[in-house]
Amino acid sequence: MFIKRDHTKLICDVGEIAGLFHDAVSMEEFLQKITAMVTRHMGCEVCSIYLYYAGRQELVLRATTGLNPASVGKVRMAVAEGLTGQALREKRPICEGQARHNPNFRFFPGIGEEKFESFLAVPIFRGNVEVGVMVIQSEKKDYFSPEDIQAFRAITAQLATTIETARLLITLNDKKEKTPVALPQEVKFVRGRCGSEGVALAATVVISETVTDLRHDGTAGGERYSEADCRRAIEETERQLEEMQLQLEATLPDMTALIFTAQILMLKDKGFCDAIFHLIKGGVNPPSAVAQVVNDYVSKFSRIEDSYLREKIYDVKDVGRRLLENLTGRARAHGDYEGKIVVARELFPSDALKLFSQKIKGIILLSGGATSHVAILARSLNIPLVITHEEALLFLDPSTDVLLDASMGSIYIDPDPLVKAKVLQRDELNRNLPALKKMVREHPQTRDGTAVRLMANINLLGDLKAANEFKADGVGLYRSEFPFMIRSNFPSEDEQYLIYRRLVEGMPGKEITLRTLDIGGDKVLSYTHYSREENPFLGLRSIRLSFKHTDVFVAQLRAMLRAGAGQRIRILFPMISSLDEFLQAKAIVQECVQQLETQRREFNPSPLLGVMVELPSTVEIINEMAQEADFFSIGTNDLVQYMLAVDRTNDSVAPLYLPHHPSVLRAMKRVVEAGLKHAREVSICGDMANEPKYLSLLLGLGIRCFSMDARYLPRMHERLRQLSVSECEKLAQEILAQSQISRIAQILESVRYPA
Ligand code: PEP
Ligand code: MG
């Protein structure tokens, strides 16, 4: 038999795809190069790539060698049509010796197909995902043999992932493309979980995970720029970043550290700038030079695969984007994100802060749990946040309006006007400050007169406003780690003192509970270089880190003691797993007290010292602990995670994250009993305290102190007034007698409250 083509060589050449990718200045050009390579090796005249767009169930010609290049982007066909559509529909190659005689052949005028006889279409799939169809054609009749079909299928399979990536990038970058790639038209609504309540209506911006998007941005338009333009753009970018820093300081006084330092430093970095100017001197157009250097940095960081360094990737991309905008004159006054709902696969708390400073409206996150710290921070920043698994949202068309009804976990894509009106109206009511203020009482108590403390959790100093407005009875938990997370180094004792003092003075006469550093898990510091931890929640987290860095721990304790001068303060130690650890922490406090005394500093010598009950190991020794601790605070976010072995940040196990699991409730009961026996206050400061549905149960278990996000105080005041302790105790008894989660859920569901 006559061998027309050497298929072994063809498969080998596919190995050169990476090279094609690297040289191509756009995804379109990359696909084009693939078609040229395939025609060469298949010995035919035509190779075309059609990409599939699920939203419209349409195939679009994206690259061709041999047909009229002007048809690219214009030839579109429904999958129900033609031989090309048939290949995708039936998931098999369609080979025709004289295609034009097949009644299914779809003829497009102007495309230049008339003269081609043989036709071979092979669908491109990645797993089950339909990517598109690759077609080859020849002028000769009956040209393609069974070996050709086999070889062509093999090559298509090898290219599927790369072509799919190209399709995503084209769609992300193609401003004209109005329909999302992977979001089927019928997806109008996505149900997620609430991470931070609130409502937002805006267009979306997807934080790209790919590094190649800058390549496209850099060369768009094709204008030439000079070296001087590039220098000006660098200066302008620096100025903008400094301005953003100042604005942020004005809104978030505890965030005085330069959170944009990393980005400003990059612009000052000789290595970074030299690399750009080196390329420019070699004839590369400045936007491409910037894109190339930024991409190099990003890929270097990506290769390290150290989650602690991912924050840097965000910084590099962000500075690159900003620089390109300033260079090409496509800069917007406040960056890409202002007024948008940000969609991201993953975010760090410091990313949330940066986005906040860029005035975003909301966040859709494809990872993390409702008790993850980025969600906690979003609540303090008043940014609605929904967590979902819906990957298709990553491909939302930027012009699509999305309505985020975060309290309900609802995401409406291109919302119906009626839904929009209803949700916005409810939001209006929720924001009605005078009405909310009316719901709170100076001395909250139950219907039958039991006094209950309703305190506030403070993450940022900005939370104090709501805490005061809603009459919080002090601060039950100050998460001191947030100011640490956005700095580029450990804050000094004096810096910390200023922040803690503002906190203490922010609630004069009230009790303030300062928790020591709880870093680790999902809260990472970019400036500590620990080796990567496989299980960060079980690693060097929290008090363990404080013991490892006693200098940092001592500085923090001294700052807290000094800030507490003349006020009632409590110091709370997180993640205590043994009596030994608590005694060690107490001893270090004592050392600090002695130091401050010797130095004749003004400070509080006798703060109450408490244990956060977050680990099952502490529950087991709770009576002994009660003899040493002045108070307990139950951190249900971690207690649930560690008792049930369910990662609080992993949305895929979220249905197993159940605060009402009988083991958790019985553990809490034991803590309350130990507290009663030793006259120690037991409070609850995890997210369970935010939930009205748990209040009756927790009161019934004997808890009388709740610390919650300040914004939830009004609804908890209101619920408290509806409850009577005797009824709550009956409910708790009934629930504690149950051993099945489902039964407890049923009982909780059936509780009715007076209007
Ligand atoms: C908790 O674990 O419940 C808690 C309040 O601490 P954090 O959420 O900061 O870990
Ligand atoms: Mg915790």
Side-chain angles (χ1 to χ4, degrees):
M1 191 188 137
F2 166 59
I3 307 274
K4 297 168 289 195
R5 298 161 284 273
D6 179 356
H7 293 314
T8 337
K9 191 160 182 310
L10 176 62
I11 303 295
C12 288
D13 278 1
V14 174
E16 294 166 19
I17 290 294
L20 297 183
F21 188 76
H22 196 259
D23 293 342
V25 293
S26 68
M27 286 304 111
E28 288 83 350
E29 191 185 320
F30 167 64
L31 293 180
Q32 188 60 35
K33 287 187 175 196
I34 291 181
T35 59
M37 183 190 76
V38 174
T39 45
R40 217 168 41 244
H41 288 283
M42 292 300 290
C44 56
E45 294 85 27
V46 176
C47 174
S48 310
I49 294 176
Y50 293 83
L51 295 183
Y52 177 61
Y53 292 82
R56 298 181 302 249
Q57 305 220 330
E58 200 176 58
L59 282 161
V60 179
L61 178 66
R62 279 298 183 183
T64 183
T65 293
L67 299 183
N68 181 357
S71 328
V72 169
K74 295 201 184 103
V75 170
R76 294 166 176 253
M77 63 183 92
V79 249
E81 292 182 289
L83 297 175
T84 310
Q86 189 184 352
L88 192 69
R89 240 174 22 245
E90 298 180 5
K91 303 186 177 170
R92 66 181 181 92
I94 303 291
C95 186
E96 290 291 330
Q98 295 174 53
R100 280 179 298 134
H101 299 306
N102 187 311
N104 286 335
F105 183 76
R106 168 96 204 266
F107 176 75
F108 287 93
I111 189 172
E113 258 181 333
E114 306 77 44
K115 55 181 188 276
F116 300 107
E117 295 283 357
S118 294
F119 173 99
L120 173 57
V122 170
I124 314 170
F125 275 88
R126 191 196 38 86
N128 284 331
V129 179
E130 294 142 317
V131 177
V133 179
M134 182 131 64
V135 176
I136 49 177
Q137 290 170 279
S138 169
E139 283 181 18
K140 300 182 192 83
K141 285 183 192 161
D142 303 317
Y143 185 66
F144 299 116
S145 68
E147 291 81 37
D148 289 334
I149 300 178
Q150 225 179 344
F152 192 41
R153 284 181 87 162
I155 188 175
T156 311
Q158 276 180 291
L159 288 170
T161 312
T162 327
I163 294 182
E164 190 194 19
T165 312
R167 179 184 64 171
L168 301 187
L169 294 174
I170 287 173
T171 312
L172 287 177
N173 290 318
D174 190 351
K175 303 285 182 278
K176 294 185 288 304
E177 190 60 63
K178 291 294 173 212
T179 311
V181 188
L183 194 67
Q185 248 160 18
E186 64 273 18
V187 177
K188 293 280 287 174
F189 175 76
V190 174
R191 166 78 72 209
R193 279 168 206 284
C194 174
S196 167
E197 291 190 5
V199 166
L201 174 65
T204 51
V205 53
V206 176
I207 295 197
S208 164
E209 303 170 303
T210 50
V211 297
T212 37
D213 53 342
L214 282 166
R215 181 190 305 273
H216 189 81
D217 275 354
T219 52
E223 302 92 339
R224 290 296 308 180
Y225 296 89
S226 67
E227 191 179 324
D229 291 334
C230 190
R231 288 195 194 282
R232 264 197 300 278
I234 291 177
E235 276 166 27
E236 175 61 12
T237 308
E238 222 176 288
R239 199 194 54 69
Q240 281 172 356
L241 289 170
E242 279 164 9
E243 197 180 287
M244 276 165 58
Q245 181 63 48
L246 285 175
Q247 278 170 7
L248 187 65
E249 281 172 32
T251 2
L252 301 172
D254 40 348
M255 299 295 149
T256 47
L258 299 173
I259 80 160
F260 291 100
T261 332
Q263 299 190 21
I264 296 172
L265 281 182
M266 263 192 74
L267 294 173
K268 297 202 184 291
D269 176 37
K270 209 165 152 348
F272 179 75
C273 294
D274 280 0
I276 294 174
F277 289 115
H278 179 73
L279 288 172
I280 295 173
K281 286 197 170 73
V284 178
N285 199 12
S288 300
V290 170
Q292 218 170 307
V293 172
V294 169
N295 279 320
D296 277 356
Y297 269 66
V298 173
S299 63
K300 271 181 212 153
F301 282 126
S302 317
R303 274 202 298 276
I304 299 172
E305 272 194 9
D306 181 337
S307 64
Y308 299 139
L309 285 170
R310 279 202 220 136
E311 276 183 280
K312 298 269 183 283
I313 294 184
Y314 176 94
D315 283 333
V316 175
K317 281 190 199 171
D318 212 35
V319 86
R321 197 169 292 122
R322 199 172 284 280
L323 198 49
L324 279 174
E325 284 177 1
N326 285 325
L327 180 56
T328 57
R330 290 186 293 121
R332 276 163 250 171
H334 299 286
D336 264 341
Y337 301 105
E338 183 171 350
K340 304 272 176 61
I341 292 173
V342 168
V343 187
R345 186 180 295 285
E346 186 183 28
L347 280 185
F348 284 92
S350 55
D351 298 333
L353 274 172
K354 283 174 202 146
L355 292 169
F356 167 80
S357 73
Q358 286 159 286
K359 301 192 177 72
I360 59 160
K361 284 270 183 68
I363 300 176
I364 297 174
L365 203 55
L366 275 95
S367 64
T371 61
S372 69
H373 285 90
V374 71
I376 289 172
L377 188 62
R379 298 204 290 259
S380 284
L381 297 171
N382 261 316
I383 307 174
L385 183 151
V386 174
I387 300 155
T388 167
H389 282 305
E390 185 52 76
E391 295 270 322
L393 292 168
L394 286 171
F395 308 110
L396 266 180
D397 182 285
S399 63
T400 316
D401 268 348
V402 165
L403 175 65
L404 210 58
D405 183 5
S407 338
M408 311 302 289
S410 304
I411 302 167
Y412 299 91
I413 295 118
D414 201 4
D416 175 275
L418 272 176
V419 173
K420 208 156 54 177
K422 242 170 94 182
V423 173
L424 293 177
Q425 194 183 21
R426 179 162 41 77
D427 184 45
E428 193 65 37
L429 288 176
N430 284 341
R431 286 168 183 270
N432 186 339
L433 194 60
L436 290 171
K437 278 182 166 173
K438 270 197 203 141
M439 289 157 75
V440 301
R441 297 280 179 277
E442 200 71 54
H443 301 290
Q445 54 179 28
T446 58
R447 205 174 80 220
D448 50 357
T450 299
V452 172
R453 290 184 86 185
L454 297 181
M455 304 176 86
N457 286 353
I458 303 284
N459 306 318
L460 304 173
L461 290 180
D463 296 332
L464 278 170
K465 187 166 175 278
N468 280 315
E469 265 164 2
F470 300 144
K471 299 193 166 51
D473 185 15
V475 175
L477 169 69
Y478 171 61
R479 288 187 168 96
S480 66
E481 52 278 1
F482 281 109
F484 280 72
M485 284 193 297
I486 44 78
R487 283 170 160 72
S488 47
N489 211 335
F490 285 114
S492 68
E493 177 186 322
D494 285 341
E495 257 185 288
Q496 290 181 64
Y497 164 78
L498 289 175
I499 297 173
Y500 306 154
R501 189 67 202 166
R502 286 179 86 136
L503 174 70
V504 169
E505 286 173 349
M507 282 208 151
K510 297 268 170 75
E511 189 166 55
I512 307 293
T513 313
L514 300 148
R515 180 174 75 179
T516 61
L517 202 53
D518 183 12
I519 284 297
D522 62 335
K523 291 177 284 195
V524 291
L525 298 183
S526 50
Y527 45 92
T528 48
H529 302 291
Y530 309 114
S531 54
R532 212 170 89 81
E533 294 185 307
E534 285 303 328
N535 288 307
F537 275 106
L538 304 182
L540 194 59
R541 185 186 162 189
S542 205
I543 195 79
R544 299 171 187 174
L545 191 104
S546 295
F547 287 151
K548 190 176 159 81
H549 292 277
T550 27
D551 51 335
V552 176
F553 194 30
V554 164
Q556 178 168 50
L557 289 171
R558 285 175 53 102
M560 287 179 170
L561 292 169
R562 285 173 53 203
Q567 290 265 358
R568 277 193 297 151
I569 60 158
R570 312 197 288 188
I571 297 180
L572 181 58
F573 299 99
M575 284 273 292
I576 294 288
S577 68
S578 66
L579 196 55
D580 311 57
E581 279 178 348
F582 184 58
L583 293 176
Q584 190 180 345
K586 270 174 80 167
I588 299 176
V589 174
Q590 250 354 88
E591 275 172 36
C592 294
V593 166
Q594 273 156 20
Q595 280 175 13
L596 290 166
E597 240 160 33
T598 318
Q599 293 164 358
R600 296 180 181 280
R601 304 296 293 260
E602 211 184 334
F603 73 107
N604 183 330
S606 49
L608 296 181
L609 302 180
V611 167
M612 272 202 90
V613 182
E614 302 183 282
L615 301 178
S617 59
T618 297
V619 177
E620 287 299 320
I621 49 168
I622 199 71
N623 272 299
E624 292 89 330
M625 206 64 107
Q627 290 170 27
E628 289 296 336
D630 296 321
F631 68 102
F632 290 132
S633 189
I634 305 178
T636 48
N637 299 343
D638 279 312
L639 185 64
V640 172
Q641 141 162 291
Y642 291 122
M643 282 199 79
L644 307 184
V646 178
D647 182 347
R648 64 192 267 189
T649 67
N650 183 346
D651 196 41
S652 47
V653 287
L656 301 174
Y657 187 92
L658 299 169
H660 57 273
H661 189 293
S663 308
V664 175
L665 300 180
R666 290 179 200 181
M668 287 167 65
K669 181 69 186 160
R670 285 174 66 187
V671 179
V672 171
E673 280 168 356
L676 278 175
K677 189 165 158 201
H678 298 274
R680 306 291 191 240
E681 185 183 72
V682 176
S683 61
I684 173 165
C685 64
D687 287 4
M688 208 175 167
N690 292 335
E691 298 284 343
K693 69 174 178 214
Y694 290 128
L695 184 59
S696 46
L697 171 59
L698 295 172
L699 281 169
L701 289 176
I703 293 173
R704 297 290 178 266
C705 179
F706 298 80
S707 190
M708 66 203 74
D709 286 6
R711 61 157 83 174
Y712 299 128
L713 282 162
R715 74 184 188 194
M716 296 305 272
H717 271 257
E718 190 155 87
R719 176 53 57 87
L720 186 72
R721 278 200 299 283
Q722 299 168 329
L723 303 174
S724 93
V725 166
S726 54
E727 282 166 15
C728 293
E729 281 171 350
K730 266 195 226 128
L731 174 76
Q733 260 172 23
E734 189 189 352
I735 286 180
L736 284 172
Q738 306 300 323
S739 40
Q740 281 189 31
I741 307 163
S742 52
R743 185 67 199 117
I744 295 175
Q746 268 173 8
I747 299 174
L748 280 173
E749 283 282 303
S750 67
V751 178
R752 294 285 166 264
Y753 302 97

